Amino acid sequence: MTQTEAFHGSKIVILDFGSQYTQVIARRIRECQVYSQILPFDTKAAEIAKAGARGVILSGGPASVYGKRAPHSDPALFELGVPVLGICYGVQLMAHQLGGKVEHSERREYGASELRADAGCDLFRGLPDKFDVWNSHADKLTKLPNGFRSVGKTDNSDFAAIEQPEKRLYGLQFHPEVAHTPRGKEILQNFLYHICGCKTDWTMGSFIDQTCEEIRRQAGEDHVVLGLSGGVDSSVAAALLHKAIGDQLTCIFVNNGLLRAREADTVRKVFGENFHMKLKYVEASARFLKRLKGVRDPERKRKIIGAEFVKVFEKAARELRKKGKTRFRYLAQGTLYPDVIESVSISGNPSALIKSHHNVGGLPKRMKFKLIEPLRQLFKDEVRQVGSQLGLPHEIVFRQPFPGPGLAVRILGEVTPGRLRILRDADEIVLSEMKASEWYYRVWQSFAVLLPVRSVGVMGDERTYENTIALRVVESQDGMTADWVRLPYDVLARIASRVINEVKGVNRVCYDVSSKPPSTIEWE
Ligand code: XMP
């Protein structure tokens, strides 16, 4: 479902030239309660007009406007009559396409500088005449196109900000979207509210209302099935669909035996008992464990779990159909916006990277369902806001990510019931101590890993020869890169001591101090 078109409100289109900050621009705009949509750099002007954009932003990017394969925008864009703001590569491109001059510079300008801003420019309304801005560019604008004037200078550039007010074309050589430009948000707000005339109508309340209407319209009398994992995305998708179509939604929750302690109970309680959703609970632990017997290779584990999940899910959907004569026409998924942005394949664009091994839990196309993806417009923080507004408990809405293949990728080597028990017990202690110390919600992930090594220890008067638990606590923005968290020693000490004393079969705890890259967050 492309609800992108369905949002009735002010909209800004961001053309993506491959900057690592494109998504940051989109999020900043949404924080200003204006809907933003990222489109490929070569989107036709007519299409942008048809999408009803009130303004267009040209993102930065790694290319040089003179480069052989430099991405260009449709020149008709500057004749649409819609305000355009070019940022970094975006302003260079705008100037280049309109007859100005950009020169290659060997010296990269990187970091903070002071902008002397012209208060007469609408972008700088309400701002002081000098403030800090953050730069990251090599090429430099040296001659303005006809009709443009400079409205901001730095020591390094006479054209750090430019405008053509009649045509409402603006450009900034620096990055207003990053936190290092402290007044950047106000510049963006000036562009949105004063130049483009946008209203602040992108709120999660309006999203919920509009999306519910859209889901009702799309589903009609038909039934929808959703694979509920208990993670943030599928949980919020379930709550939203339930609000929209009530009993026309059935959730299938598969217990694959690789879940954390009490996870299955929590999901049943929250969704079955509190929300009164139609929830089919499938106990498939034995089946998964049987298939995983003797398997040590991480990729094979993931493949087996993925394939088994599809079979179990299909069988459950078939049984529901037979029993209740419910034919599911739609499959709902909690896909988010970062997964659907059509990334441009310009080198250096991290959003173009594909997490190939993260597709476990996905359902194959042959299942012949039509898709409903009610969250595909949203960033993660927006999904959390929607979840809270729909009344999901804090524990679910703000929980850390948990991989589809579950504890299996945190048990190095073979997955056995005994090893699952050890890891589950250790994981529960890690979780409770992280929560008690108030670190849980401050980090990206915190979990235990069971290593396939045993070492010697001493407990009381006895020599032990037991397992080792590795503790992994990382901070990250999106899971693509991560750093280990400098947890206070007393928190580390408490976790280690409790795991060794309370979990039978463990006599050693190590802390993982590797960052990603080159390590990954999960150990398998
Ligand atoms: P890695 O280990 O690649 O993990 O650094 C990055 C993030 O992705 C999560 N992850 C998964 N999530 N299915 C998921 O839904 C998976 O198969 C999967 N594998 C890893 C991981 O927990 C981390 O947040």
Side-chain angles (χ1 to χ4, degrees):
M1 166 155 68
T2 50
Q3 279 147 355
T4 322
E5 287 80 34
F7 178 69
H8 313 298
S10 304
K11 182 196 283 184
I12 293 289
V13 161
I14 301 158
L15 295 184
D16 182 17
F17 291 90
S19 165
Q20 57 176 320
Y21 297 124
T22 303
Q23 288 193 28
V24 181
I25 302 174
R27 295 187 49 193
R28 289 288 163 275
I29 293 174
R30 291 185 185 195
E31 280 165 21
C32 301
Q33 297 189 333
V34 175
Y35 181 62
S36 63
Q37 182 185 1
I38 298 173
L39 292 177
F41 63 86
D42 53 357
T43 306
K44 291 277 169 251
E47 205 178 307
I48 293 170
K50 205 169 124 210
R54 294 250 177 132
V56 177
I57 292 185
L58 312 180
S59 84
S64 166
V65 288
Y66 294 113
K68 250 199 200 141
R69 292 168 50 211
H72 281 204
S73 56
D74 179 356
L77 176 67
F78 304 111
E79 303 301 329
L80 271 183
V82 169
V84 181
L85 170 65
I87 294 175
C88 197
Y89 177 82
V91 63
Q92 294 165 6
L93 184 76
M94 180 194 280
H96 176 69
Q97 289 193 271
L98 295 173
K101 205 164 165 204
V102 175
E103 275 178 22
H104 186 63
S105 154
E106 287 306 323
R107 226 192 72 221
R108 199 174 172 77
E109 188 184 11
Y110 185 85
S113 64
E114 190 181 64
L115 185 83
R116 296 183 294 280
D118 182 336
C121 170
D122 280 343
L123 280 179
F124 303 130
R125 231 195 238 201
L127 290 171
D129 41 358
K130 280 183 194 164
F131 52 89
D132 286 341
V133 297
W134 197 80
N135 303 278
S136 171
H137 59 98
D139 290 2
K140 199 167 147 178
L141 197 56
T142 51
K143 184 176 159 282
L144 294 183
N146 281 341
F148 275 77
R149 69 180 190 112
S150 166
V151 287
K153 296 180 183 183
T154 62
D155 286 345
N156 190 46
S157 169
D158 282 344
F159 308 118
I162 61 170
E163 73 168 4
Q164 199 320 5
E166 288 79 41
K167 291 194 163 175
R168 296 191 295 172
L169 305 178
Y170 300 84
L172 302 173
Q173 185 57 79
F174 58 89
H175 289 272
E177 71 277 17
V178 301
H180 306 299
T181 301
R183 312 299 295 251
K185 191 166 176 187
E186 289 157 85
I187 300 175
L188 288 175
Q189 282 173 329
N190 280 334
F191 180 69
L192 300 174
Y193 307 149
H194 299 304
I195 296 171
C196 302
C198 291
K199 294 201 175 64
T200 51
D201 45 20
W202 176 250
T203 62
M204 290 308 103
S206 70
F207 168 82
I208 292 171
D209 292 347
Q210 288 196 22
T211 306
C212 283
E213 241 173 67
E214 176 66 17
I215 292 170
R216 275 182 223 117
R217 193 190 57 70
Q218 196 189 2
E221 304 282 303
D222 288 318
H223 286 261
V224 179
V225 65
L226 175 141
L228 183 64
S229 72
V232 178
D233 307 340
S234 69
S235 298
V236 175
L240 190 56
L241 279 147
H242 185 249
K243 182 178 168 73
I245 54 172
D247 276 354
Q248 278 168 261
L249 170 74
T250 304
C251 296
I252 297 179
F253 177 80
V254 176
N255 185 347
N256 58 8
L258 307 166
L259 305 172
R260 280 161 298 183
R262 282 192 286 282
E263 183 66 10
D265 290 343
T266 307
V267 168
R268 282 162 113 170
K269 210 161 136 201
V270 170
F271 296 93
E273 292 172 25
N274 294 7
F275 272 83
H276 303 292
M277 284 186 201
K278 277 194 190 166
L279 177 67
K280 168 132 177 117
Y281 174 83
V282 186
E283 175 47 69
S285 306
R287 209 180 142 148
F288 278 82
L289 288 189
K290 200 166 138 210
R291 295 277 290 114
L292 287 169
K293 200 157 190 254
V295 181
R296 290 187 173 77
D297 178 67
E299 280 308 301
R300 266 200 71 211
K301 278 192 207 170
R302 282 177 174 273
K303 288 214 170 81
I304 289 171
I305 295 164
E308 207 55 28
F309 176 81
V310 172
K311 283 189 209 151
V312 172
F313 189 91
E314 279 183 319
K315 184 162 170 269
R318 256 196 325 269
E319 281 171 9
L320 281 167
R321 194 171 71 205
K322 272 194 216 141
K323 215 168 81 193
K325 298 198 172 54
T326 315
R327 246 198 111 76
F328 298 110
R329 189 132 180 253
Y330 291 96
L331 172 73
Q333 288 185 337
T335 316
L336 304 195
Y337 192 46
D339 300 324
V340 299
I341 297 170
E342 281 180 63
S343 316
V344 288
S345 54
I346 298 167
S347 64
N349 176 16
S351 57
L353 298 175
I354 298 161
K355 295 192 218 170
S356 58
H357 66 280
H358 291 178
N359 298 329
V360 173
L363 294 163
K365 292 206 170 58
R366 71 182 155 84
M367 287 185 76
K368 302 237 162 46
F369 287 119
K370 287 189 169 180
L371 276 188
I372 289 194
E373 296 176 308
L375 310 178
R376 58 181 284 136
Q377 277 174 288
L378 302 187
F379 287 108
K380 192 84 174 190
D381 51 331
E382 293 173 322
V383 171
R384 293 204 159 106
Q385 287 175 45
V386 169
S388 299
Q389 285 204 20
L390 292 171
L392 282 173
H394 189 272
E395 191 209 331
I396 292 223
V397 170
F398 289 92
R399 66 187 1 195
Q400 296 173 358
F402 185 69
L407 299 181
V409 293
R410 295 177 180 173
I411 292 177
L412 274 57
E414 189 183 358
V415 178
T416 64
R419 306 187 79 206
L420 270 167
R421 194 271 307 154
I422 293 177
L423 183 60
R424 209 170 261 135
D425 289 354
D427 179 73
E428 201 180 5
I429 292 173
V430 174
L431 230 107
S432 80
E433 286 302 327
M434 288 297 289
K435 285 189 174 164
S437 61
E438 295 183 356
W439 275 92
Y440 179 87
Y441 293 111
R442 288 155 65 180
V443 303
W444 174 261
Q445 265 171 312
S446 46
F447 56 88
V449 180
L450 178 60
L451 305 190
V453 285
R454 293 210 282 166
S455 70
V456 173
V458 51
M459 267 188 188
D461 291 333
E462 273 184 48
R463 179 184 180 278
T464 58
Y465 187 53
E466 300 282 22
N467 295 283
T468 306
I469 286 287
L471 177 63
R472 184 84 166 129
V473 185
V474 293
E475 55 191 14
S476 171
Q477 290 301 315
D478 52 11
M480 303 286 272
T481 60
D483 196 10
W484 61 281
V485 174
R486 276 59 169 172
L487 272 191
Y489 282 171
D490 61 330
V491 179
L492 284 173
R494 216 164 29 248
I495 292 175
S497 143
R498 278 197 60 196
V499 169
I500 292 166
N501 284 304
E502 295 174 33
V503 182
K504 207 160 160 276
V506 177
N507 67 354
R508 194 173 296 274
V509 171
C510 303
Y511 193 44
D512 182 349
V513 290
S514 353
S515 56
K516 173 182 179 176
S519 306
T520 50
I521 296 176
E522 302 292 345
W523 277 46
E524 280 195 343

